[in-house]
Amino acid sequence: MVSTVAKSKVNTDRNWHSFIDGKAEKGTTERQLFNPADGSPLCKVSEADSKMVEKAIKSARKAFDEGPWPKMTAYDRAKVLFAIADKIDEHSEELAELESLNQGKPLREAQYDISDAANCFRYYAGLITKPNGQHVPVPANSETTVVREPIGVCGQIVPWNFPLLMACWKFAPALGAGNTIVLKPSEYTPLSTIRLVELMYECGLPAGVLNIVLGDGKTAGAPLAESKLVDKVAFTGSVRTGKIIAQAALGNLKKVTLELGGKSPMIVFPDMDIDTAVDYALFAIYCNAGQVCSAGSRFVVHESIHDKFVAKMTERAKKIKVGPGNDPETEMGPLVSTQQLKTVTDYIEIAKKEGAKIAYGGNVLTGGKYGQGYYVEPTLFVDVKPDMRIVQEEVFGPVAVVQKFKTEEEALELANGTDFGLAGAVFTNDLALAHRVVKALRCGITWVNGYHFTYNEVPWGGYRQSGWGRELGTFGLDAYTEVKQINVNLDKGPIGWFEK
């Protein structure tokens, strides 16, 4: 059957600007964006300079200090969040296509992301109207309560792998708590987020509550981390950039949330159905072309099934349909940019020089339907050693390694043997074994006999160099609040501490 590539229904030939104080604002420079699927020019966006970023920060500051949003009841804010969720659903087809065109992912993945983004707003719209705080008995005649209040102005910086969804993970709890926002999307993938902000303002957000500034990290991101008018910065991205942001935030000791990288293991024991394990392994690493912070990039496999696992992985990987995101038959799309293509291919060459063996893949795909797009084959390395860079460092592409183990203890040593601690999984039919291993994994997100399941209702984040703090769930809302104790003295008269 010949696949039919869908024609675009969205107009990218329009003005793509920053959004400050409730309206679009043209930047001072232009950036050409390219379609990852074929390398062709996609559109131009105007980017902010440092003065525009400062204007956006001041707009958010004024909206928080003087505007109605923080003073609104939780019920009134919830109405806006529910309206945003409905608006996302109403424009889901448009947003998904923008996401696919700009980022490269298959349309079916983009559609899932958009649906999840709407559900994120609904979750926090419901959560903020539920009972919270504490009434605390204290050793005095006092009515003492603990309440949570919005932090203030929140600088948010999101990556290019899930542009709209990562923005919503930050927008929904921050707005629900009553904060105001300045967000910087990735300079490579701003389109769906720009369109989302336009739609959000149609839902009744007061001017200045939500601002978006376009540009690179140096021009638009650094001022958010450094500004003393910003009370919190939330960042999703690389460890290197996360450390820079943490240092910059020391200026006014602003609150910091960092969701960083991973080198996540998937441990496979010999009692597990190998076809099921392989099926999840493919999903773990080749979904979104491996451009996922929690990607299962290390398969820790028992020696008795190692060869069979590799053979089945290779057989299945060969059948993955790689192509443009708007082709309905595509199962894995391109990488996001020429820069990321170089990063991934450099890691493949480094691995080969260090002695790792390619079981499958490793090639750049060009010509034909690939055009000048940024495609790499699904790639699998074997015969790796724990100290190899391909084992220790995050590639952020469709590249995985297989590590062999003999005992449960060795499996855990290998699984925990990196500086990261974002995610991990164990595949076994032994319930006691599964619980032991999951408990011993040094990471924040774990699965048993599954991978990549993500829920708005539970916290997302990692141990060690995978970041600080958590997003999603009640933890995600707490991260956008300050804690205050209120003591009301019920005794009448003076305290009498000093003699008259």
Side-chain angles (χ1 to χ4, degrees):
M1 183 177 68
V2 178
S3 64
T4 303
V5 176
K7 292 184 179 180
S8 175
K9 296 179 182 178
V10 299
N11 177 28
T12 56
D13 188 22
R14 48 151 284 186
N15 293 325
W16 299 99
H17 299 323
S18 297
F19 219 82
I20 299 174
D21 203 32
K23 56 184 179 296
E25 183 159 335
K26 185 177 181 179
T28 57
T29 60
E30 277 193 339
R31 179 185 297 271
Q32 176 69 61
L33 300 182
F34 297 90
N35 186 339
D38 58 15
S40 64
L42 181 60
C43 65
K44 291 182 179 181
V45 298
S46 68
E47 296 188 332
D49 59 14
S50 58
K51 291 183 179 179
M52 285 180 62
V53 177
E54 185 64 24
K55 180 179 178 180
I57 293 172
K58 289 181 178 178
S59 174
R61 184 79 263 168
K62 183 177 180 180
F64 183 80
D65 293 338
E66 303 175 18
W69 185 254
K71 303 177 182 67
M72 289 169 61
T73 67
Y75 285 92
D76 287 336
R77 288 199 300 273
K79 290 178 182 178
V80 177
L81 266 60
F82 277 125
I84 292 170
D86 291 342
K87 186 71 73 169
I88 292 173
D89 283 342
E90 181 184 342
H91 291 264
S92 60
E93 185 175 350
E94 173 193 4
L95 293 170
E97 188 171 342
L98 272 176
E99 188 96 338
S100 180
L101 278 172
N102 194 186
Q103 197 273 345
K105 66 179 60 183
L107 193 58
R108 66 172 183 173
E109 290 184 22
Q111 289 166 341
Y112 182 88
D113 292 348
I114 304 308
S115 176
D116 198 30
N119 289 336
C120 185
F121 273 98
R122 290 193 178 96
Y123 170 73
Y124 283 107
L127 183 63
I128 62 176
T129 62
K130 302 304 180 284
N132 63 76
Q134 301 175 1
H135 180 272
V136 184
V138 294
N141 190 20
S142 174
E143 190 75 22
T144 298
T145 57
V146 178
V147 299
R148 288 188 175 272
E149 297 180 339
I151 288 178
V153 176
C154 299
Q156 301 177 331
I157 304 171
V158 296
W160 44 257
N161 57 335
F162 293 89
L164 186 138
L165 183 58
M166 293 295 98
C168 291
W169 279 19
K170 291 174 171 55
F171 284 162
L175 292 173
N179 298 286
T180 59
I181 294 170
V182 181
L183 179 130
K184 188 199 90 67
S186 167
E187 60 268 36
Y188 300 116
T189 56
L191 301 188
S192 60
T193 309
I194 295 171
R195 183 64 182 127
L196 173 64
V197 171
E198 294 171 349
L199 295 172
M200 289 172 69
Y201 266 102
E202 293 179 11
C203 298
L205 283 178
V209 168
L210 177 59
N211 306 271
I212 178 173
V213 289
L214 309 183
D216 61 21
K218 183 178 180 180
T219 303
L224 294 178
E226 296 168 356
S227 175
K228 293 185 178 180
L229 297 179
V230 174
D231 302 297
K232 175 187 172 70
V233 61
F235 169 77
T236 299
S238 70
V239 173
R240 181 183 62 83
T241 304
K243 290 179 178 180
I244 294 172
I245 287 172
Q247 288 286 338
L250 292 175
N252 65 331
L253 289 177
K254 59 173 61 67
K255 301 292 188 294
V256 178
T257 300
L258 302 174
E259 202 271 275
L260 307 178
K263 195 69 180 177
S264 300
M266 176 177 149
I267 305 173
V268 184
F269 286 93
D271 67 317
M272 185 65 193
D273 175 69
I274 196 165
D275 290 317
T276 299
V278 166
D279 196 60
Y280 273 104
L282 294 165
F283 183 53
I285 186 57
Y286 301 132
C287 178
N288 201 25
Q291 299 170 121
V292 186
C293 58
S294 58
S297 54
R298 294 187 296 129
F299 305 129
V300 183
V301 181
H302 192 268
E303 62 179 6
S304 66
I305 60 169
H306 173 273
D307 293 351
K308 190 174 182 181
F309 179 90
V310 172
K312 285 182 175 288
M313 277 289 294
T314 300
E315 180 186 356
R316 290 285 306 276
K318 290 177 180 178
K319 297 177 181 178
I320 293 175
K321 297 179 179 68
V322 182
N326 62 348
D327 184 336
E329 291 193 3
T330 291
E331 295 175 319
M332 192 182 91
L335 299 172
V336 72
S337 65
T338 55
Q339 292 89 337
Q340 191 60 20
L341 178 64
K342 183 179 187 305
T343 296
V344 173
T345 53
D346 283 351
Y347 268 112
I348 291 172
E349 292 305 311
I350 290 168
K352 290 192 290 188
K353 289 178 181 177
E354 289 186 335
K357 179 183 176 182
I358 290 183
Y360 179 73
N363 299 307
V364 174
L365 301 173
T366 59
K369 67 177 180 179
Y370 306 117
Q372 297 300 310
Y374 317 133
Y375 297 92
V376 173
E377 286 180 313
T379 301
L380 187 69
F381 278 98
V382 295
D383 296 344
V384 298
K385 297 178 180 179
D387 60 348
M388 288 181 174
R389 289 182 64 186
I390 197 68
V391 176
Q392 292 294 322
E393 299 178 17
E394 185 177 45
V395 177
F396 226 65
V399 180
V401 302
V402 183
Q403 297 176 273
K404 190 186 302 184
F405 75 91
K406 292 182 180 180
T407 65
E408 177 183 336
E409 292 73 21
E410 185 182 3
L412 284 166
E413 183 179 355
L414 291 171
N416 291 327
T418 74
D419 291 334
F420 296 102
L422 185 56
V426 55
F427 281 73
T428 177
N429 293 316
D430 185 331
L431 186 59
L433 174 62
H435 277 278
R436 284 199 309 272
V437 173
V438 163
K439 186 176 180 180
L441 285 175
R442 297 290 296 161
C443 54
I445 307 155
T446 61
W447 299 279
V448 174
N449 298 341
Y451 210 95
H452 273 326
F453 302 132
T454 306
Y455 307 104
N456 292 308
E457 294 81 3
V458 290
W460 183 272
Y463 294 10
R464 296 178 288 180
Q465 293 200 44
S466 287
W468 290 350
R470 295 293 184 270
E471 295 188 308
L472 299 182
T474 58
F475 296 82
L477 183 62
D478 290 347
Y480 284 98
T481 62
E482 292 278 20
V483 179
K484 175 185 287 185
Q485 59 166 290
I486 301 173
N487 300 283
V488 180
N489 182 18
L490 300 180
D491 286 332
K492 295 181 178 180
I495 188 172
W497 186 264
F498 296 102
E499 293 185 11
K500 292 182 179 179

